[in-house]
Amino acid sequence: MSETLETFYKNLLGIEYPWVVEAIRRDSKQREVTVLVGYAAKEPYRCPVCEKPGKLHDHRKRQWRHLDSCNHKTLIEAAIPRVSCEEHGVKQIAVSWAEQNSRFTSEFEQAVLVWLKD
């Protein structure tokens, strides 16, 4: 992947460490871009509730809708680590681009709210 393209989508989507853009898939027929994001940090994994170290339980594949880029529907796809905490059970690590349990990025949700006001 081109370093320039990686940087473009990293900045466009607000991807920050410990998340990294690993690959970009473009489907010109569907006019769709999927940005594949990976979790770069290594152990110790931390419970998102209490911040205590926990063990990696598994990964859950998720996808979020982002604002269109270059006339293409843009999606973020990532395998989100889930941490096993003695106190809180299995919890999913938070992502920086979306609220918990949302299928849309925060920027997409903000744009929709602006559109609705108009």
Side-chain angles (χ1 to χ4, degrees):
M1 173 175 42
S2 161
E3 184 68 32
T4 305
L5 190 57
E6 176 184 75
T7 302
F8 173 76
Y9 277 101
K10 176 182 174 248
N11 292 332
L12 179 76
L13 302 173
I15 304 298
E16 298 175 352
Y17 187 83
W19 303 98
V20 294
V21 175
E22 293 182 335
I24 297 169
R25 287 192 314 242
R26 179 175 175 254
D27 183 340
S28 57
K29 210 174 219 180
Q30 297 292 325
R31 299 188 65 79
E32 187 172 285
V33 172
T34 302
V35 179
L36 303 169
V37 176
Y39 189 72
K42 301 297 178 210
E43 292 192 44
Y45 291 95
R46 297 199 173 272
C47 172
V49 177
C50 66
E51 293 293 321
K52 291 180 184 172
K55 293 184 180 181
L56 177 65
H57 180 74
D58 63 7
H59 290 81
R60 177 148 301 158
K61 190 174 183 179
R62 303 259 333 263
Q63 192 175 68
W64 298 263
R65 174 71 160 92
H66 188 66
L67 298 169
D68 291 355
S69 59
C70 303
N71 260 351
H72 282 60
K73 176 180 177 180
T74 304
L75 304 164
I76 298 176
E77 189 174 291
I80 310 300
R82 296 194 318 151
V83 178
S84 180
C85 174
E86 289 182 10
E87 185 177 343
H88 299 103
V90 176
K91 297 291 180 188
Q92 182 174 289
I93 291 176
V95 298
S96 59
W97 56 86
E99 296 295 320
Q100 186 175 359
N101 299 320
S102 178
R103 292 183 179 183
F104 305 96
T105 65
S106 298
E107 283 189 45
F108 186 91
E109 290 179 349
Q110 288 171 7
V112 168
L113 289 173
V114 169
W115 296 334
L116 288 172
K117 284 182 183 179
D118 288 346

